[in-house]
């Protein structure tokens, strides 16, 4: 294994990769047996791994320092060339999908792989390459704009990630001032963000119509690889959330208001849970990583092996810096069979959430990293987020390592925050359905729709007349809306599954952990609803599932 800093980078020649894919597709056509096709497909695996490793290395190093001119140019190259490469991949998949040796290949790579191929074929066409290039460039433009924010506060020049600790300050006036600074920044760039998003909506709508879809909504579901559920099931899920989770969340907000000792919750109180302030890590960033290593060493032999591997090979870049991209994620470097975690530690409890949430993703990637059938690792996001959100609960017993005497406060905050998130996540999803169902909406009308939804999903919210947020601008800070359309509902679906694990582990930790490990190993070898059933979880789409979760949680979080 090579440490991350020593991993060599060479620009992936996507034109050459395209020619290789074209040759592989021809070889598939000429193959005389399923065995021969599978050998060819393994050459595709090798090409895919090599190419994706270089693309991912460039992305990570670009995100680590968005001012790095070399990797900025590399990102521009991939934004331009990846859609062309995707077309070659699409042609290869079309050839494989039409194989006369379907039964043999299905036996080898699975029925899920062929269903996903069908969706990939439906989701891309050579005619939209130019539009895809423009789409990727617009997403990069948004991310660079947000990463370049310079906000003067408390004598410092901060980006959005580093401002975070002030947004949840125990001093109400300080956090109010921080939120006003954040609002002022977004107000200063809201016109530019509106232009970017308006261009994205028009672009994606044009892609959909060029491919014969009425709106991007249908194409968006296809691109999210929704292989076992549809829009109607998602809409029913959201209605269940409105019926059961929204009233529950409002009770939590009222409980929080009383705990904070304020007459009314204002928007700058939204993420604060205790009068003395939210619990913060008692360790510095290096101490958090060390405590994480101790925690995973005690949780299980497999988690110990995983975290030691991550630390030994420099597979974390989590310290906040002014020139880093905002946010955090886990990605995977196929050639090294290595997960990588990117984040921005900022002195808040979110730093510990990285060590639980992103490590949940990374742990699953580590568990399945030697899977020879690459399609089995093409995990849908509704499944992937179960791995991460559930790990947040499985590690609860070690929070004293991070929060000391306030570990109990952290656990209370974490569970309340997780429960209150579900309505917000559904609101993001419904907003995107409205936007793409009605691409003719103006920027002002989109903001009006967002504000209308806030009154349904978060009726307690009071913006106190803030000019940016009151006008419906909050969504502009949610990067998923820009670069990952229709992703956000996956967090909500996964939250419901993770909460099932929370209830289960409180009754029988070892049985819940055994189920979690089974789900990790299943990876993407079966369809979502089948895997839930195999792991002993109830599908969030089942009527009654949301109600049962809410009833179980009420006893845990409405105890004040």
């Amino acid at each position: 294994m090579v440490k991350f800093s020593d991993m060599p980078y060479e620009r992936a020649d996507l034109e050459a990769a395209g020619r290789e894919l074209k040759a592989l597709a021809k070889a598939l056509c000429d193959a005389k047996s399923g065995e021969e096709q599978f050998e060819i497909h393994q050459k595709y695996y090798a090409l895919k791994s090599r190419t994706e490793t270089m693309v991912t290395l460039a992305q990570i190093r670009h995100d680590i320092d968005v001012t790095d001119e070399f990797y900025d140019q590399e990102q521009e190259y991939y934004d331009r060339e990846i859609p062309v490469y995707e077309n070659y991949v699409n042609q290869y998949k079309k050839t494989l999908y039409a194989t006369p040796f379907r039964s043999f290949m299905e036996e080898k790579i699975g029925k899920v792989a062929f269903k996903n191929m069908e969706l990939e074929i439906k989701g891309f066409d050579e005619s939209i390459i130019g539009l895809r290039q423009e789409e990727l460039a617009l997403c990069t433009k948004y991310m660079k704009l947000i990463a370049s924010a310079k906000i003067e506060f408390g004598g410092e020049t901060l980006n959005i990630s580093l401002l975070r600790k002030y947004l949840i300050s125990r001093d109400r006036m300080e956090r109010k001032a921080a939120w006003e600074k954040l609002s002022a920044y977004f107000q200063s760039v809201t016109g530019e963000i509106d232009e970017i998003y308006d261009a994205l909506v028009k672009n994606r709508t044009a892609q959909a119509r060029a491919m014969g879809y009425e709106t991007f909504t249908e194409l968006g579901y296809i691109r999210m690889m929704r292989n076992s559920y549809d829009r109607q099931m998602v809409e029913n899920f959201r209605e269940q959330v409105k019926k059961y989770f929204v009233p529950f969340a409002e009770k939590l907000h009222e409980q929080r208001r009383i705990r904070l000792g304020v007459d009314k919750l204002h928007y700058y109180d939204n993420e604060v849970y205790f009068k003395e302030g939210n619990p913060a890590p008692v360790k510095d960033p290096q101490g958090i990583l060390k405590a994480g290593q101790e925690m995973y060493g005690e949780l299980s032999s497999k988690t110990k092996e995983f975290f030691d591997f991550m630390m030994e090979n420099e597979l974390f870049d989590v310290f906040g810096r002014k020139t880093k991209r905002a946010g955090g994620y886990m990605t995977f470097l196929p050639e090294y069979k290595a997960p990588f975690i990117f984040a921005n530690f900022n002195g808040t409890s979110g730093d510990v959430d990285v060590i639980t949430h992103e490590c949940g993703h990374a742990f699953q990637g580590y568990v399945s990293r030697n899977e020879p059938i690459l399609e089995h690792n093409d995990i849908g996001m509704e499944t992937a987020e179960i791995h991460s959100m559930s790990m947040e609960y499985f590690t609860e017993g070690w929070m004293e390592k991070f929060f000391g005497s306030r570990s109990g406060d952290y656990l209370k905050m974490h569970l309340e925050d997780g429960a209150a998130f579900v309505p917000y996540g559904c609101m993001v999803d419904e907003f995107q359905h409205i936007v793409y169902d009605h691409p003719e909406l103006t920027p002002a009308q989109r903001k009006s729709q967002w504000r209308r939804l806030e009154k349904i999903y978060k009726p307690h919210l009071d913006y106190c007349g803030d000019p940016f947020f009151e006008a419906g601008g909050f969504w502009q800070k949610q990067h998923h809306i820009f670069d990952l359309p229709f992703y956000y509902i996956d967090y909500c679906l996964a939250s419901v599954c993770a909460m099932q694990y929370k209830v289960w582990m409180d009754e029988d930790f070892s049985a819940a952990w055994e189920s979690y490990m089974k789900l990790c190993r299943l990876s993407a070898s079966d369809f979502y609803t089948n895997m839930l059933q195999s792991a002993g979880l109830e599908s969030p789409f089942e009527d009654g599932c949301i109600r049962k979760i809410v009833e179980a949680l009420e006893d845990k979080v409405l105890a004040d």
Side-chain angles (χ1 to χ4, degrees):
M1 180 62 194
V2 180
K3 294 181 187 299
F4 180 76
S5 59
D6 295 328
M7 290 178 185
Y9 171 74
E10 181 180 354
R11 176 184 283 188
D13 186 339
L14 296 184
E15 185 178 345
R19 290 195 299 270
E20 191 172 342
L21 280 165
K22 192 172 182 180
L24 289 174
K26 183 179 185 306
L28 281 177
C29 288
D30 295 341
K32 300 296 188 290
S33 68
E35 288 85 355
E36 190 178 345
Q37 280 201 333
F38 186 60
E39 287 180 15
I40 295 163
H41 193 53
Q42 288 176 304
K43 293 178 182 177
Y44 162 76
Y45 287 163
L47 172 63
K48 175 181 165 73
S49 293
R50 289 196 312 271
T51 304
E52 289 184 2
T53 297
M54 291 303 116
V55 173
T56 303
L57 272 174
Q59 178 207 343
I60 294 169
R61 289 174 177 163
H62 173 261
D63 291 347
I64 284 171
D65 182 0
V66 295
T67 66
D68 186 306
E69 290 185 9
F70 175 79
Y71 283 108
D72 190 49
Q73 290 174 0
E74 295 304 283
Q75 190 63 51
E76 287 182 8
Y77 164 76
Y78 290 123
D79 285 348
R80 183 176 65 252
E81 297 300 326
I82 279 177
V84 180
Y85 171 73
E86 286 176 337
N87 185 53
Y88 285 110
V89 173
N90 189 261
Q91 294 303 315
Y92 174 84
K93 295 283 183 74
K94 281 183 178 179
T95 305
L96 180 58
Y97 187 76
T99 174
F101 310 110
R102 175 72 171 260
S103 59
F104 179 88
M105 290 300 291
E106 267 194 4
E107 183 67 28
K108 283 290 186 181
I109 68 175
K111 290 185 177 181
V112 177
F114 275 90
K115 180 61 180 177
N116 287 348
M117 266 184 260
E118 179 187 328
L119 293 173
E120 287 177 284
I121 292 164
K122 289 180 177 178
F124 190 83
D125 186 80
E126 188 173 3
S127 65
I128 64 167
I129 288 175
L131 288 167
R132 278 286 289 151
Q133 290 170 325
E134 180 187 36
E135 179 189 10
L136 293 175
L138 286 166
C139 292
T140 298
K141 184 177 181 181
Y142 169 80
M143 296 305 298
K144 287 175 70 174
L145 175 65
I146 299 304
S148 66
K150 291 180 174 60
I151 301 172
E152 301 295 328
F153 192 83
E156 298 179 89
T157 302
L158 306 171
N159 62 18
I160 294 170
S161 295
L162 296 176
L163 182 68
R164 169 72 181 166
K165 63 182 178 181
Y166 299 109
L167 296 173
I168 57 171
S169 169
R170 62 178 292 179
D171 183 325
R172 199 181 193 203
M173 290 301 98
E174 182 174 59
R175 66 178 181 260
K176 179 177 184 288
W179 274 97
E180 287 172 348
K181 285 284 188 178
L182 183 69
S183 171
Y185 167 72
F186 273 97
Q187 185 73 352
S188 73
V189 296
T190 189
E192 190 172 351
I193 294 175
D194 276 335
E195 288 178 8
I196 292 170
Y197 193 59
D198 198 56
L200 276 169
V201 172
K202 287 179 168 58
N203 173 291
R204 288 167 176 155
T205 299
Q207 289 184 54
R209 289 177 177 166
M211 295 188 65
Y213 302 111
E214 187 175 346
T215 70
F216 178 74
T217 307
E218 187 176 358
L219 181 58
Y221 269 62
I222 289 169
R223 288 196 178 158
M224 283 303 299
M225 307 304 285
R226 300 270 154 81
N227 59 24
S228 52
Y229 58 95
D230 58 22
R231 175 176 180 157
Q232 288 68 37
M233 294 166 73
V234 170
E235 288 175 349
N236 183 58
F237 173 79
R238 291 201 311 258
E239 289 307 309
Q240 299 294 306
V241 167
K242 287 176 186 175
K243 185 174 182 179
Y244 298 109
F245 247 105
V246 169
F248 174 50
E250 289 303 299
K251 290 177 186 176
L252 294 178
H253 291 305
E254 175 59 15
Q255 178 175 273
R256 187 166 58 85
R257 182 194 67 77
I258 294 169
R259 193 188 302 139
L260 291 174
V262 298
D263 292 335
K264 189 172 185 180
L265 290 173
H266 296 315
Y267 69 103
Y268 45 83
D269 303 316
N270 201 42
E271 298 175 70
V272 180
Y273 286 81
F274 299 93
K275 196 169 187 177
E276 60 272 33
N278 291 351
V282 295
K283 299 179 184 294
D284 63 15
Q286 290 287 0
I288 290 172
L289 287 174
K290 185 174 184 297
Q293 193 161 18
E294 293 170 359
M295 175 179 74
Y296 284 110
E298 295 168 12
L299 177 57
S300 76
S301 59
K302 195 67 178 176
T303 52
K304 172 178 170 47
E305 179 188 308
F306 149 72
F307 205 88
D308 289 349
F309 173 84
M310 297 287 288
M311 291 291 283
E312 288 165 9
N313 295 293
E314 302 173 352
L315 295 167
F316 289 99
D317 190 301
V318 295
F319 303 147
R321 295 187 298 277
K322 292 181 180 179
T323 58
K324 284 181 77 172
R325 167 188 159 166
Y329 57 78
M330 187 284 291
T331 188
F332 195 80
L333 296 156
E335 286 289 272
Y336 301 100
K337 298 183 178 180
F340 185 92
I341 290 177
F342 173 93
N344 284 269
F345 278 10
N346 52 25
T348 71
S349 62
D351 299 352
V352 179
D353 295 338
V354 170
I355 300 301
T356 58
H357 182 97
E358 299 302 343
C359 280
H361 285 306
F363 176 65
Q364 194 283 326
Y366 183 82
V367 166
S368 62
R369 72 196 190 111
N370 292 314
E371 169 60 61
I373 305 302
L374 295 193
E375 287 88 355
H376 288 179
N377 285 331
D378 290 339
I379 304 173
M381 291 300 102
E382 69 287 315
T383 305
E385 294 301 343
I386 301 175
H387 306 140
S388 56
M389 291 181 156
S390 300
M391 186 64 87
E392 295 177 31
Y393 292 118
F394 279 114
T395 52
E396 284 185 340
W398 286 267
M399 288 302 104
E400 192 173 343
K401 288 180 180 291
F402 302 97
F403 296 101
S405 62
R406 295 203 66 192
S407 60
D409 286 347
Y410 171 78
L411 295 178
K412 177 184 284 289
M413 176 180 74
H414 177 256
L415 191 56
E416 288 187 14
D417 185 61
F421 166 79
V422 175
Y424 172 75
C426 286
M427 178 172 68
V428 170
D429 184 68
E430 186 166 346
F431 174 70
Q432 292 184 92
H433 280 79
I434 292 168
V435 166
Y436 289 110
D437 284 350
H438 302 282
E440 73 281 359
L441 292 176
T442 65
Q445 288 171 327
R446 291 187 195 114
K447 288 176 178 173
S448 177
Q449 286 293 328
W450 176 266
R451 192 69 187 99
R452 179 184 67 81
L453 290 172
E454 282 182 321
K455 292 174 182 177
I456 295 170
Y457 283 100
K458 303 182 76 173
H460 71 282
L461 199 57
D462 182 359
Y463 284 127
C464 309
D466 178 272
F468 176 71
F469 295 120
E470 193 72 64
F474 188 94
W475 61 272
Q476 292 195 336
K477 65 188 284 292
Q478 191 68 63
H479 78 86
H480 305 74
I481 291 175
F482 293 80
D483 61 346
L484 295 165
F486 296 109
Y487 184 146
Y488 225 63
I489 196 67
D490 298 313
Y491 287 117
C492 302
L493 297 170
S495 289
V496 171
C497 293
M499 288 170 189
Q500 289 182 62
Y501 271 131
K502 166 61 179 169
V503 173
W504 192 353
M505 72 181 70
D506 285 349
E507 297 172 355
D508 188 339
F509 188 93
S510 61
W513 180 254
E514 185 180 344
S515 165
Y516 176 76
M517 286 298 300
K518 181 176 183 179
L519 188 67
C520 286
R521 292 190 187 101
L522 282 168
S523 198
S525 60
D526 203 346
F527 292 103
Y528 170 67
T529 48
N530 293 344
M531 289 194 297
L532 293 183
Q533 187 175 12
S534 295
L537 297 172
E538 188 172 351
S539 169
F541 296 119
E542 291 294 325
D543 286 340
C545 178
I546 302 296
R547 177 181 54 78
K548 282 186 279 187
I549 288 294
V550 167
E551 289 172 353
L553 291 177
E554 280 184 331
D555 293 336
K556 296 179 182 294
V557 297
L558 293 178
D560 281 8

